[in-house]
Amino acid sequence: MSFDLVLFGGTGDLAWRKLMPALFQAFRHGTLPPDGRIIGIARDDLSDAQYRELIRSRFHDVELAKRPSPEEFDRFAELLHFLRLDLSHPEDFRRLADTLRERHADTVVMYLATAPDLFLRVVEQLAGAGLNTPNTRIVLEKPLGHDLASNRQINDAVRAVLSERQIFRIDHYLGKPAVQNLFAMRFGNALFEPVWRREHISNIQITIAEDLGAEKRGAFYDKTGALRDMVQNHALQLLCALAMEPPINAHADAIRDEKLKVLRSLSPWTPVSLDQHVVRGQYTAGMVHGHPARAYREEPGVSPESNTETFVALRTDIQNWRWAGVPFYIRTGKRLASREAQIVVNFRETPHAIFHAPPGSCNRLVINLQPRDGLQLHLLALGQENRRNGQVLTPVHLDLDFDKRFGSERVGAYERLLLDVIAGRLNLFVRSDEQEAAWRWVEPIMEHWANDERGPRPYAAGTWGPSASSAMIARDGFCWPEEC
């Protein structure tokens, strides 16, 4: 199968940090279709040779195991081409059309690795140049809009020139191997389904923590914040994967229908729940891993008076028979104590205790997404007999490390998703009605904050966020993993 992958923003941060390394890994693994062409698009005035050298130099920042040898890169570079293009010039898009017609590839992928406010302009210019053919696919990066209205505007514009099956709204968390194994664990095994419900689960916690700050993305992040950047997409997609009903098959729409049902079942916000069940924070100066870290308002590109949140913690419920009464907790933030993403499923205690056990101990399933990738099942086993208390249970755990188990067979998130786009597989991409349901649910939070003069709660860099986050979960009698 022949393909052309046209990468708008071909010299940008996302291209060289994520997309080019992922495409190279697919090339190295032999999974990238051999008859392919990757065309970088930007306003820079570069030849093909100069573009290839630019990409070569960027691989010095990639982890050692994923760097190409000089010979490997030379072979990969044969796929790389460059076209100078100004998004406001229709004649440049006509030149792109001429370039693509040179060989009539089976599939043409338009990857918009640009600022979201440029999506509409690119889509209109593509249609004007006749590049919205049946073999065209378009990839849209998040955040898709900044609220429900802007999201609808973008989706309407794209659907006006392309069909839904040609639109790939990417959320790279859905491509992570651990998330794929979450689906496999739930729907490929009979072990968990009988206990995956309110009768056996007390609460579920989703944490996406970063130890980095805004870094060089300050200008972008200050307009976005943690709610738009992480909760509306990544965190809610993880919640859907955890809570959805088994789909009737593994087809894309069957999976996305079930995720949509979860989003529509989330408890609507009220003034009381917005005050009690949502916490926003912003990091101040502190110490991260023993090194001083500046405050968010001191980051380049950030307003000194910014009220943009760098931390969000919230509690929600799913109003259906499976999950009624089970709280779901989400927290995400920058400049936290460590970089980790994990899901913790806490099971209820046994109905009648016949052994002595440490206070608060219970079974739990921990799904690690980063930096480790694997599962831990925490159980209670019989330890040494205590003369005073008799038989005493001791916490133990079973640990499955996917990286160790599968080694080099592991496929990274962007690698998997890019290959799926080329192959036309939509299972791991988000449908427009999913996005709208997610925006509809977070909008009351955004509106509440816009009218709240208190602003975000401060927390020192290198901690786990504002103390109000711990107080929120403690009111239900639970605690975050590092506090239990």
Side-chain angles (χ1 to χ4, degrees):
M1 180 188 74
S2 62
F3 75 91
D4 282 337
L5 194 160
V6 182
L7 184 53
F8 288 86
T11 58
D13 180 69
L14 180 65
W16 67 262
R17 276 195 313 111
K18 299 291 186 181
L19 302 181
M20 284 299 178
L23 288 165
F24 169 72
Q25 291 304 317
F27 175 81
R28 171 185 272 178
H29 294 154
T31 52
L32 191 68
D35 189 9
R37 185 169 57 166
I38 301 166
I39 304 173
I41 298 287
R43 296 180 66 178
D44 307 76
D45 191 8
L46 300 174
S47 66
D48 287 354
Q50 289 172 320
Y51 185 58
R52 290 164 181 166
E53 286 306 308
L54 174 66
I55 298 302
R56 186 196 296 269
S57 69
R58 297 299 193 184
F59 271 95
H60 294 307
D61 298 323
V62 175
E63 60 182 281
L64 189 60
K66 294 185 178 181
R67 289 181 199 169
S69 68
E71 296 78 15
E72 281 181 315
F73 186 84
D74 286 343
R75 294 196 303 273
F76 175 66
E78 294 176 7
L79 279 65
L80 302 181
H81 305 269
F82 186 81
L83 184 66
R84 184 179 183 277
L85 185 147
D86 189 314
L87 299 183
S88 61
H89 293 171
E91 60 272 20
D92 286 358
F93 282 83
R94 288 193 286 271
R95 283 196 301 113
L96 172 61
D98 292 339
T99 300
L100 296 175
R101 291 191 191 104
E102 290 173 0
R103 65 189 207 114
H104 298 287
D106 297 324
T107 299
V108 177
V109 176
M110 304 289 183
Y111 198 118
L112 273 57
T114 65
D117 57 5
L118 299 176
F119 287 177
L120 290 175
R121 186 187 306 176
V122 175
V123 169
E124 291 170 357
Q125 295 279 32
L126 289 174
L131 288 170
N132 55 328
T133 63
N135 67 332
T136 299
R137 293 165 190 158
I138 191 165
V139 183
L140 303 176
E141 273 282 350
K142 64 91 181 172
L144 202 60
H146 58 271
D147 57 15
L148 179 58
S150 58
N151 175 261
R152 281 176 171 166
Q153 184 183 18
I154 294 171
N155 276 321
D156 289 346
V158 179
R159 282 196 299 260
V161 299
L162 294 168
S163 67
E164 182 67 29
R165 65 175 180 80
Q166 295 174 277
I167 305 169
F168 291 73
R169 300 172 189 84
I170 195 167
D171 186 327
H172 73 270
Y173 263 68
L174 292 179
K176 286 182 175 290
V179 178
Q180 296 307 296
N181 274 294
L182 172 58
F183 284 106
M185 179 194 73
R186 284 203 58 199
F187 306 131
N189 298 282
L191 178 64
F192 289 104
E193 176 56 26
V195 297
W196 209 257
R197 57 191 66 248
R198 68 182 188 279
E199 292 88 352
H200 302 284
I201 293 177
S202 66
N203 69 93
I204 294 180
Q205 304 174 15
I206 300 171
T207 296
I208 306 174
E210 299 178 79
D211 52 7
L212 294 175
E215 307 299 315
K216 298 177 182 178
R217 298 172 70 229
F220 161 79
Y221 195 87
D222 208 36
K223 298 176 182 177
T224 307
L227 185 70
R228 291 183 177 94
D229 192 41
M230 300 297 289
V231 175
Q232 184 272 334
N233 37 71
H234 299 329
L236 285 184
Q237 285 294 319
L238 292 178
L239 185 149
C240 288
L242 287 161
M244 63 187 278
E245 294 296 321
I248 58 173
N249 54 43
H251 295 164
D253 279 333
I255 294 171
R256 298 190 291 185
D257 286 346
E258 297 302 334
K259 289 196 293 175
L260 180 61
K261 291 177 185 177
V262 174
L263 293 168
R264 289 175 172 171
S265 299
L266 292 173
S267 295
W269 294 107
T270 67
V272 173
S273 64
L274 285 167
D275 272 334
Q276 295 185 353
H277 296 159
V278 182
V279 176
R280 63 169 168 163
Q282 186 186 95
Y283 64 83
T284 59
M287 299 290 290
V288 180
H289 305 311
H291 300 283
R294 60 190 166 200
Y296 173 72
R297 293 180 179 181
E298 297 171 350
E299 299 280 18
V302 173
S303 167
E305 299 176 352
S306 173
N307 275 333
T308 298
E309 78 284 354
T310 62
F311 176 93
V312 177
L314 60 85
R315 174 202 194 276
T316 188
D317 297 90
I318 297 174
Q319 298 179 327
N320 62 24
W321 277 33
R322 181 185 289 266
W323 296 113
V326 178
F328 285 72
Y329 301 96
I330 293 172
R331 65 171 174 172
T332 183
K334 288 188 173 295
R335 282 291 186 220
L336 297 180
S338 67
R339 173 182 176 266
E340 61 184 66
Q342 67 172 204
I343 298 163
V344 180
V345 180
N346 289 305
F347 292 91
R348 297 189 186 278
E349 295 182 0
T350 55
H352 175 63
I354 61 173
F355 299 102
H356 293 281
S361 59
C362 65
N363 302 140
R364 69 183 186 276
L365 176 69
V366 180
I367 303 162
N368 293 305
L369 306 178
Q370 66 181 30
R372 290 188 60 211
D373 179 9
L375 300 174
Q376 289 181 332
L377 182 60
H378 293 254
L379 307 168
L380 293 170
L382 193 61
Q384 291 184 338
E385 186 169 333
N386 186 297
R387 293 183 179 179
R388 179 178 179 182
N389 295 324
Q391 293 179 314
V392 178
L393 296 178
T394 300
V396 296
H397 68 271
L398 307 175
D399 194 345
L400 174 58
D401 188 318
F402 289 131
D403 289 329
K404 290 181 180 178
R405 171 62 182 84
F406 298 107
S408 61
E409 300 171 33
R410 306 296 280 161
V411 175
Y414 271 102
E415 180 183 350
R416 178 185 296 275
L417 294 172
L418 285 164
L419 291 173
D420 280 357
V421 175
I422 294 170
R425 294 187 290 263
L426 282 159
N427 299 49
L428 302 181
F429 296 86
V430 183
R431 205 167 58 191
S432 61
D433 50 4
E434 285 183 76
Q435 280 192 332
E436 288 189 12
W439 277 116
R440 193 175 294 111
W441 187 72
V442 302
E443 271 206 333
I445 304 176
M446 294 158 50
E447 293 168 0
H448 177 69
W449 288 348
N451 298 314
D452 186 355
E453 297 180 355
R454 293 173 294 181
R457 298 170 185 267
Y459 65 95
T463 65
W464 280 105
S467 59
S469 169
S470 300
M472 177 193 70
I473 194 171
R475 284 196 292 269
D476 294 333
F478 305 124
C479 55
W480 297 111
E482 73 277 359
E483 298 171 337
C484 294

